[in-house]
Amino acid sequence: MSSVGDAPDEGAAGEIALTIEHVSEAAAPLLLFLLQELDGLNSMVQEILAVVPADARWRLTLTGDMVASTDRIEGRASGYSTDRGAGVVGGRTLRSSDGVLDIVIDVSAILMFPEDLETPETPEEYRRGFDMAIASARHLARHEAGHVALISRAEHSDTFDALEGLSPTASQWRGTVGAYIDDHRIERDTAIHAPTPLRKSESIEYELEHLRAALEGSQRSWRSDIIMARDRTMTALMGFVRLIAYLSAELGVDADGNAIAPDPLPEHWNRYLGDGWWARWSGAFNRLEPATTLAASEDLATSLAELAEMLVAWLDAIGVRYRIDEQDREFIHWTADTY
């Protein structure tokens, strides 16, 4: 454990505690150079302080093993997964047993360089690579600080997902959709103040292909193992809806309130987000207030209900009929001829 500022007292207000753990010998020198010589740690802390309430109690952990750090903080034996469809988790905010909020950031998400910068050969390439790493660090720090802010204000998804009147299937998605509402609201702020250098609009084609391949594979294999097919489909779908939450924040809407789409449109876009679906998804998300603006629980609950029911309809439209009936029985069918 190392500290920034005064000696930390388990996350007391006005004090900052830093833990660096599970970092490989290969990554450690690069990380320390980034944090110390390039002032990366101060950049991260300043992004956090710009967002979190003054009386919030929090700690910062930089880890080379997100699973191990999550299991330690949450007291898990094992089992946490960082997979999110075609993506992975780069940061988390966890409430520890002592009431302190732990901001946990994966070192690999900071040191994630594009292929042309993995082995830099010129000073310009080194500089561009480190600039991207600093930008990633700032973005992840500010995003997780947004979760601290929402939790501190009792405005996070757990506070507005007790909905009545939803269909059983839509109700199944309350927790997932609520979490993506939080992420979207936070990304609306980070897109302005600490934008990510790894834009979702640049990875959407890969994400669409991942979704298509997962649905096609599930359709082919469900007769031999329907549980595995269901799990593969659900993981891909929830990862893709998470992407929609981030992408709609990144691209936003135009002056007339119309959803902005990637340009040019990637392959498979029309198959999964055509026929007005992108306008519906982006419109529903962008009606939310950003995380830096107070939002009423009733408004958040209304958006959650709209998005949860929309998710059920969207699944039908792309060829996945998924239902929970009144007896809490689960049904799934892959209804498209091709994906």
Side-chain angles (χ1 to χ4, degrees):
M1 161 105 39
S2 57
S3 62
V4 181
D6 297 331
D9 180 20
E10 293 304 309
E15 298 171 343
I16 300 166
L18 170 68
T19 298
I20 300 176
E21 60 186 7
H22 305 303
V23 178
S24 70
E25 291 185 8
L30 189 61
L31 177 65
L32 291 177
F33 180 77
L34 184 80
L35 296 179
Q36 296 177 352
E37 300 301 321
L38 299 182
D39 207 27
L41 180 57
N42 182 59
S43 295
M44 296 176 74
V45 169
Q46 292 307 311
E47 294 296 344
I48 294 170
L49 294 177
V51 176
V52 300
D55 59 351
R57 300 178 66 230
W58 57 276
R59 290 178 290 242
L60 176 61
T61 296
L62 304 179
T63 180
D65 188 334
M66 178 67 83
V67 173
S69 294
T70 297
D71 290 345
R72 172 183 63 79
I73 293 168
E74 293 190 328
R76 295 170 180 255
S78 64
Y80 175 69
S81 172
T82 60
D83 292 339
R84 295 297 182 273
V88 295
V89 173
R92 291 198 73 198
T93 297
L94 310 170
R95 190 189 296 275
S96 298
S97 58
D98 59 4
V100 179
L101 294 169
D102 281 280
I103 295 174
V104 186
I105 294 176
D106 193 334
V107 169
S108 65
I110 296 174
L111 304 176
M112 185 182 296
F113 304 120
E115 289 184 7
D116 64 324
L117 294 180
E118 287 180 352
T119 55
E121 298 179 354
T122 67
E124 291 75 18
E125 289 181 341
Y126 274 102
R127 189 175 303 112
R128 187 157 63 95
F130 278 117
D131 285 348
M132 289 187 65
I134 291 291
S136 294
R138 291 181 56 212
H139 174 80
L140 289 165
R142 192 171 185 112
H143 180 96
E144 295 310 317
H147 285 292
V148 174
L150 291 180
I151 293 169
S152 298
R153 300 200 312 252
E155 203 175 304
H156 59 299
S157 57
D158 289 348
T159 65
F160 60 82
D161 68 353
L163 302 177
E164 297 181 358
L166 290 178
S167 66
T169 309
S171 185
Q172 176 83 353
W173 301 126
R174 288 179 305 167
T176 299
V177 173
Y180 297 160
I181 284 176
D182 289 350
D183 283 332
H184 172 88
R185 296 183 65 206
I186 291 166
E187 284 298 300
R188 292 266 292 282
D189 169 68
T190 62
I192 297 171
H193 298 286
T196 175
L198 302 174
R199 291 169 56 83
K200 298 299 183 184
S201 54
E202 296 174 357
S203 65
I204 181 63
E205 187 161 358
Y206 169 73
E207 303 269 2
L208 282 161
E209 173 56 27
H210 181 275
L211 174 63
R212 186 206 63 77
L215 298 183
E216 187 175 85
S218 296
Q219 184 188 49
R220 288 199 308 264
S221 65
W222 71 267
R223 288 180 178 84
S224 60
D225 192 335
I226 194 168
I227 300 301
M228 182 179 293
R230 177 206 62 188
D231 290 349
R232 181 180 183 182
T233 288
M234 291 297 106
T235 299
L237 287 170
M238 294 308 97
F240 192 75
V241 176
R242 177 175 181 263
L243 170 75
I244 289 173
Y246 278 75
L247 184 63
S248 60
E250 178 183 295
L251 297 178
V253 296
D254 63 20
D256 297 321
N258 299 313
I260 298 173
D263 184 18
L265 292 180
E267 187 178 7
H268 307 307
W269 176 273
N270 288 330
R271 169 67 177 82
Y272 293 101
L273 290 169
D275 296 327
W277 278 107
W278 175 244
R280 292 181 64 185
W281 277 116
S282 181
F285 273 118
N286 277 290
R287 281 193 292 275
L288 294 159
E289 296 286 357
T292 48
T293 301
L294 295 176
S297 293
E298 306 81 53
D299 294 337
L300 294 170
T302 297
S303 291
L304 174 55
E306 177 188 5
L307 285 161
E309 296 288 5
M310 186 187 302
L311 175 54
V312 177
W314 176 70
L315 295 184
D316 284 350
I318 66 171
V320 180
R321 184 169 178 79
Y322 178 80
R323 291 292 186 274
I324 304 291
D325 70 9
E326 298 292 346
Q327 286 74 48
D328 205 31
R329 294 175 299 185
E330 184 179 35
F331 302 87
I332 186 168
H333 303 280
W334 292 267
T335 61
D337 294 331
T338 62
Y339 292 95

